[in-house]
Amino acid sequence: MYLADHTWPELGDALSPGSVALVPLGSTEQHGPHLPLATDHLIAEGLATAAADRSDAFRTPTINVGVSPHHRQFPGTMWVDPPEFRDYVESFARNLSYHGIDRVVFVNAHGGNVQHLREVGRRLHEDEVAYAVEWMWDESIPELVDELFERNGPHAGPKETAMVTHLAPELVREDRLEDARDGGLVDLEDADTMVHGARTFYDAVDNSPNGAFGDPTDVTPEKSERLFEAATDQLVQLAEWIGDRDDEELFPEPRVEREETRG
C-alpha cells in the first residue's frame, strides 16, 4: 500500500502499532554518461513499491536527494549536508510513529546515505520511538551480484544499470555503455589513490573521470529481472520479519542490574 494514495479515514483504520513502513531513499546525482541522475531514487522506489504490493507494509513517499557531495563536480548533482539529512530523516520517522507506525525499513539505494541512516536508526531505537533499520538492496544479495557480473563496480556499474534497465529502460543510454566502461574505472584495484593504506581521495572524480565504475556492458534484460526479483524478495522477507517481532525483541533491553554477591 502506498500511503499517499489513500484518504485519512482509510489510513486511520489501517495504521496501528506494529505497522511497518518502507521509506525509499536515494539520491539525485551523476551516474556516468549512461544512467540518469535519478538512478538511486528510482531503484529505491521501485523496490519499495514492489515489496509493499507483496506484503502488509506501507510505502511512504520517496526521499530523492541524499548525501552526495562526493559527486558534486558533475553537473546536476544535488545533495544535502549530513547533519540536515539525518535530522530530516529522523523527523520523518518520528512523524510516522505519531501515526502508529513504529517499525521502519529505510529502503536505501545510495551508499552515501548508509552511515547516516544507521545513526538515525540508533537514535530512534535509543528513544524507543521506532525500530528503524537501513537496508541496502545489493547487500541483501551479494552472491547473486557476483554471479551475474564479473566487474560490479560500486557506482554506475552493471548492477545499477541492470536495475534501471528493469525499471525504466528508456532512461538507459545504451549507446553510451561502452563509453561508461572505457572512460571510467572498471576495476577498483587499478586505482592509484590508496597510498600506504590511506585513502587519498574524497570525490568520485578522483578515481573515475566520467563517474562510472565497473563494466555496464555486461547487462541483459534477463539478468536485470533476476536481480530485481531477488532483491524484492529479500525486502519482503525483512518487512515480514520485523512485523512479526514482539516489541520486547526490537526495543532496548533494560539496564543490567548488579549481580547479587554469592557467599
Side-chain angles (χ1 to χ4, degrees), residues 27-39 68-79 155 173 204-205 208-211:
S27 67
T28 300
E29 65 180 26
Q30 74 83 18
H31 275 79
H34 63 302
L35 292 178
L37 272 65
T39 289
S68 303
H70 49 295
H71 293 290
R72 68 188 184 278
Q73 288 89 350
F74 296 94
T77 291
M78 303 175 190
W79 69 91
H155 179 80
R173 280 59 167 179
V205 73
S208 173
N210 69 7

Side-chain angles (χ1 to χ4, degrees), residues 51-118:
D53 288 344
R54 303 177 196 184
S55 69
D56 294 329
F58 298 91
R59 176 175 74 83
T60 73
T62 304
I63 297 175
N64 291 338
V65 177
V67 181
S68 303
H70 49 295
H71 293 290
R72 68 188 184 278
Q73 288 89 350
F74 296 94
T77 291
M78 303 175 190
W79 69 91
V80 291
D81 291 331
E84 286 72 20
F85 177 78
R86 290 192 295 266
D87 288 347
Y88 180 87
V89 176
E90 181 178 349
S91 179
F92 190 103
R94 287 179 182 272
N95 168 268
L96 294 174
S97 72
Y98 177 83
H99 293 295
I101 300 176
D102 60 358
R103 300 158 196 233
V104 177
V105 178
F106 295 129
V107 182
N108 182 35
H110 173 51
N113 296 339
V114 171
Q115 62 178 314
H116 308 294
L117 293 174
R118 291 177 179 170

Side-chain angles (χ1 to χ4, degrees), residues 154-191:
H155 179 80
K159 57 190 176 184
E160 290 188 321
T161 303
M163 294 297 263
V164 180
T165 295
H166 181 77
L167 291 165
E170 71 280 4
L171 297 182
V172 179
R173 280 59 167 179
E174 295 186 0
D175 61 331
R176 301 299 305 274
L177 294 176
E178 292 186 1
D179 293 342
R181 177 195 63 198
D182 298 340
L185 180 67
V186 174
D187 293 309
L188 285 178
E189 294 179 356
D190 293 337

